[in-house]
Amino acid sequence: MNSNSEIKNLLQKFVLNQCTPEETNEVIAYYKKNKLTEDFPSVEDIQNLLTEMPKMSQQTADDIFLNILQSSKEENTTIEISSEKSNFRKYISIAASILVLLGVGFVAYKQNVFNTQTENKFDIKSTDIVLQLENGNVQIISEDHSVQVRDSKGNIVGNQNGNKLVYEADSDTEKISYNTLKIPYGKKFELQLSDGTLVHLNAGTTLKYPVRFIAGENRQVFLDGEAFFDVAKDKKHPFIVNADNLNVRVLGTHFNVSNYPEDASTDVVLVEGSVGMYNTDEDFDITKNTILKPGFKGSFQKSNNQISTKPVLTDIYTSWINGGLTFRNMTFKNIITKLERRYNVTIINKNEKLANEKFNASFKEESIENVMSYFNDIHGINYTIKNNQILIK
């Protein structure tokens, strides 16, 4: 950009949040290089641009500000923003000009509201825990920090501290709204719902849940992956876990649900209390549906929607909460998928005969190196590990 007119045209797109990532970087880079030069737009220039454009929403302003902040952070550059126009001289930064003139954006950032970005496809092999709001905006959850979770009106609905997110109770809610928590490969996370229900989320799991439950209606959540539920007792409001074509209905109990896409069945293991299992196209009927007792596993076959039960040692199926890893009559092909999810690695298996071999194994807080060594000891697997990739020859 060699002229004032060019920077002004690009700035207009920037103010409307219509810049491509490359154009945004160009504007920010230009600011850093020329923030006190004569050809940089003045406050008056930007005011004139704003009068010719539609009113910007707070959401758009927040997006712009956080884009600037992130780029600035990467370059170790500080953007100084004043709360009063009188503190500005003729030439100021784009961020300061836009955000102060609009009166939004910076306040939202200072209050730790949300790192709002355009929704992208969730990358389960990234390292980020993602909280997605009902409007599609997302917040990256850092286990090293704490943050307040707010609704669309700016009200605090929950607090995240380290590896746990806790939602506040509110009996006055009339309209239900959902948040979605997405856990990447290699991580686990805890979630406390507004009714006090505690949920342990395993790696590669997505849970959609109400920000607050509504009086008079069932407490329903939607699970893709694996979670252990410690459900708060409430006889008036049944708690329902939807796992694709299966509903699991409880009043207050401890149970594990595993619903990963590679598995032929969705498994429910009951530790305490009782749960009902039934198809999502059916109404719950205690006289017809499958009712699990403690110490039993119910398996919902995805191919035909049939449910079978059998007694199990529940500790085997809940050991993952404390770092354990268990395989029961599982093909090596599926074991590979679970190892990739647990350790956030890539495993390439060139031994086709091995793929359908079935194994029983249990591990307690073992490294991926020790797990692979175990399979080598019992099956003579020839493999190499380099960085985060494992090649089985």
Side-chain angles (χ1 to χ4, degrees):
M1 291 179 293
N2 298 317
S3 70
N4 202 356
S5 60
E6 288 182 62
I7 183 62
K8 283 184 179 180
N9 291 335
L10 195 54
L11 178 59
Q12 182 169 354
K13 291 181 66 177
F14 186 83
V15 172
L16 288 175
N17 205 22
Q18 295 175 346
C19 280
T20 65
E22 292 76 16
E23 289 173 331
T24 298
N25 291 334
E26 190 175 358
V27 172
I28 294 169
Y30 190 84
Y31 151 67
K32 293 173 183 176
K33 183 179 179 181
N34 303 284
K35 60 181 179 179
L36 293 178
T37 61
E38 290 297 321
D39 62 342
F40 194 81
S42 67
V43 173
E44 291 77 13
D45 292 330
I46 296 173
Q47 283 176 324
N48 291 334
L49 284 174
L50 291 174
T51 59
E52 300 170 359
M53 292 182 288
K55 183 179 180 181
M56 184 190 295
S57 67
Q58 179 167 339
Q59 187 62 65
T60 300
D62 287 347
D63 285 344
I64 293 174
F65 175 78
L66 289 166
N67 283 337
I68 297 170
L69 187 70
Q70 183 61 36
S71 297
S72 179
K73 182 179 179 181
E74 291 173 359
E75 297 289 336
N76 295 318
T77 303
T78 301
I79 299 177
E80 296 182 358
I81 300 181
S82 170
S83 60
E84 296 180 1
K85 295 180 184 178
S86 59
N87 291 335
F88 289 95
R89 296 187 181 277
K90 182 178 180 181
Y91 306 110
I92 59 176
S93 73
I94 292 175
S97 301
I98 295 174
L99 296 172
V100 173
L101 289 170
L102 292 172
V104 295
F106 181 61
V107 174
Y109 170 74
K110 291 294 288 183
Q111 292 175 340
N112 290 322
V113 181
F114 284 104
N115 179 13
T116 49
Q117 305 169 354
T118 302
E119 180 184 0
N120 296 316
K121 184 177 180 180
F122 178 54
D123 181 6
I124 54 178
K125 301 199 76 171
S126 73
T127 59
D128 294 328
I129 296 172
V130 174
L131 176 64
Q132 179 178 316
L133 305 183
E134 189 168 24
N135 63 6
N137 292 330
V138 301
Q139 178 178 7
I140 303 303
I141 299 293
S142 172
E143 299 142 289
D144 298 328
H145 299 89
S146 300
V147 70
Q148 292 177 330
V149 179
R150 296 175 182 264
D151 61 18
S152 59
K153 297 180 180 179
N155 301 314
I156 298 174
V157 296
N159 294 276
Q160 174 257 331
N161 186 13
N163 201 48
K164 188 174 183 179
L165 174 57
V166 178
Y167 281 79
E168 298 182 354
D170 185 350
S171 59
D172 297 330
T173 302
E174 296 180 356
K175 182 180 179 181
I176 197 165
S177 62
Y178 290 91
N179 282 180
T180 302
L181 198 58
K182 304 180 181 185
I183 314 303
Y185 281 13
K187 290 190 176 183
K188 296 179 294 185
F189 197 73
E190 291 183 29
L191 171 68
Q192 183 173 311
L193 302 175
S194 63
D195 65 340
T197 292
L198 182 61
V199 187
H200 296 266
L201 299 167
N202 205 350
T205 294
T206 297
L207 184 72
K208 180 180 177 181
Y209 53 91
V211 173
R212 293 187 175 110
F213 295 103
I214 297 179
E217 296 189 12
N218 292 339
R219 300 171 289 166
Q220 186 165 14
V221 300
F222 302 85
L223 175 70
D224 181 10
E226 184 170 25
F228 180 84
F229 294 86
D230 181 354
V231 178
K233 290 181 172 59
D234 185 346
K235 293 182 179 181
K236 295 181 179 180
H237 301 92
F239 192 96
I240 299 173
V241 178
N242 173 262
D244 293 329
N245 293 326
L246 173 69
N247 277 342
V248 183
R249 186 180 188 272
V250 304
L251 295 177
T253 186
H254 304 145
F255 63 102
N256 193 84
V257 181
S258 182
N259 181 41
Y260 284 119
E262 72 271 12
D263 295 329
S265 65
T266 298
D267 292 333
V268 180
V269 175
L270 182 60
V271 176
E272 179 183 306
S274 67
V275 303
M277 299 174 61
Y278 58 102
N279 293 353
T280 53
D281 58 359
E282 300 175 347
D283 293 327
F284 178 73
D285 186 339
I286 195 171
T287 64
K288 297 180 180 180
N289 300 143
T290 301
I291 307 298
L292 279 187
K293 296 180 180 180
F296 277 75
K297 179 180 76 168
S299 295
F300 177 84
Q301 296 299 321
K302 298 177 182 178
S303 60
N304 57 18
N305 291 356
Q306 297 299 306
I307 300 174
S308 61
T309 65
K310 69 176 183 179
V312 295
L313 296 174
T314 59
D315 288 349
I316 292 176
Y317 295 90
T318 61
S319 63
W320 64 266
I321 299 173
N322 297 314
L325 187 63
T326 300
F327 308 120
R328 284 292 177 266
N329 197 33
M330 188 176 296
T331 64
F332 192 71
K333 178 174 61 176
N334 279 11
I335 288 175
I336 285 176
T337 301
K338 295 186 184 300
L339 292 177
E340 288 181 323
R341 181 182 295 121
R342 170 65 178 272
Y343 297 102
N344 196 15
V345 296
T346 299
I347 301 178
I348 302 172
N349 179 29
K350 294 189 175 182
N351 186 343
E352 295 182 1
K353 293 182 179 180
L354 183 63
N356 293 318
E357 291 281 343
K358 292 186 177 181
F359 294 87
N360 290 296
S362 294
F363 305 94
K364 185 177 181 179
E365 299 186 51
E366 296 286 353
S367 66
I368 185 61
E369 289 81 6
N370 288 346
V371 173
M372 293 304 300
S373 177
Y374 165 82
F375 284 109
N376 180 50
D377 291 341
I378 66 171
H379 209 284
I381 295 174
N382 183 11
Y383 68 92
T384 58
I385 300 178
K386 185 176 181 181
N387 299 324
N388 287 326
Q389 186 174 95
I390 300 172
L391 175 63
I392 301 174
K393 301 176 181 178

